[in-house]
Amino acid sequence: MPRQVFFYDQPERFVAGTVGQPGSRAFFLQASARGRITSVLLEKTQVAALAERVDEVLDEALRRSGGQAPIPAVAPTELIDTAPLDLPLEQEFRVGTMALAWDASDGILVVEAQAVLEDAEDDEAVELAFDDEENGPDLLRVRLTGAMARVFAKRALDLVAAGRKPCPFCNLPLDPEGHLCPRQNGYKR
C-alpha cells in the first residue's frame, strides 16, 4: 500500500494532547491547518522524549548561531495553547519512530513521526523506517518556527507532568484507589 505523508508547513496548531483519565490516558500528536486535522497515537514516554529533545535541539541551534537564530529562550506566553485536542479525533496511525532536525537555512524545526511497522522483521523495520520511498510507513512531517516548537515542548512537558502522582515510597504512579506498594510488602497504599 502506498505511503501516506501528512505534511504541515508551519501549521496553525501542533500539540500533544490526551484523551481519558490519568492512568488510562491515550496520548496524541495533532497537527491542523486550513480545516485539515491529523492525529497520531503515541506513548507517554514518546511524548516526554520528543518534548525534551525539541528543547535540546532548539537550545543547541541557538548556541551554535551565537544567539542569532530566531528561537526564543522560553515559550512565548502569548502563543501558549491550552485548548483540548481538535475534533473529530481520528487516529491515522500509531507512532513507531520519530526524528528531529533543525533547518538553519529556513530557521525551522522539522518533526517527523513514522508509523509502527507491525509485520516487518526488526532489521527490515529499521531499514524501512529511514527510507523515504513511496511504499514506506505512513509519516507525519511538521515544520515549526522556533517559537512554535518551544510552545509545543512546554505543553507536552506540562501534559506528561500532569499524570498520576508518584507513591512517596516506591515512586510508582498512584491510582485513585491506591496501589500495591512493593516497598510496603504489598500493602495497599
Side-chain angles (χ1 to χ4, degrees), residues 46-187:
Q46 289 175 299
V47 172
L50 178 60
E52 290 167 3
R53 191 68 182 125
V54 164
D55 271 340
E56 290 171 6
V57 168
L58 294 175
D59 291 344
E60 181 64 16
L62 194 56
R63 186 190 67 75
R64 286 187 180 197
S65 73
Q68 299 304 309
I71 304 168
V74 296
T77 55
E78 67 275 9
L79 297 179
I80 293 179
D81 180 351
T82 58
L85 293 171
D86 291 327
L87 298 176
L89 186 61
E90 296 174 5
Q91 172 189 328
E92 297 296 340
F93 59 84
R94 176 180 283 278
V95 174
T97 59
M98 295 181 292
L100 290 175
W102 176 253
D103 181 348
S105 63
D106 290 340
I108 296 290
L109 181 75
V110 180
V111 178
E112 290 187 352
Q114 294 188 21
V116 170
L117 295 171
E118 308 217 358
D119 55 350
E121 296 291 322
D122 285 344
D123 292 339
E124 182 184 349
V126 169
E127 185 177 314
L128 279 174
F130 296 102
D131 197 357
D132 212 12
E133 302 218 359
E134 72 177 54
N135 290 329
D138 289 348
L139 172 73
L140 171 63
R141 180 176 291 144
V142 182
R143 293 172 44 90
L144 303 169
T145 64
M148 291 172 70
R150 285 281 190 212
V151 168
F152 166 81
K154 179 180 181 352
R155 176 183 168 129
L157 289 171
D158 290 349
L159 183 73
V160 169
R164 297 175 288 169
K165 301 293 179 216
C167 171
F169 299 104
C170 69
N171 237 12
L172 292 173
L174 285 171
D175 291 323
E177 18 339 295
H179 79 120
L180 297 177
C181 182
R183 301 281 313 265
Q184 296 295 307
N185 294 326
Y187 288 103

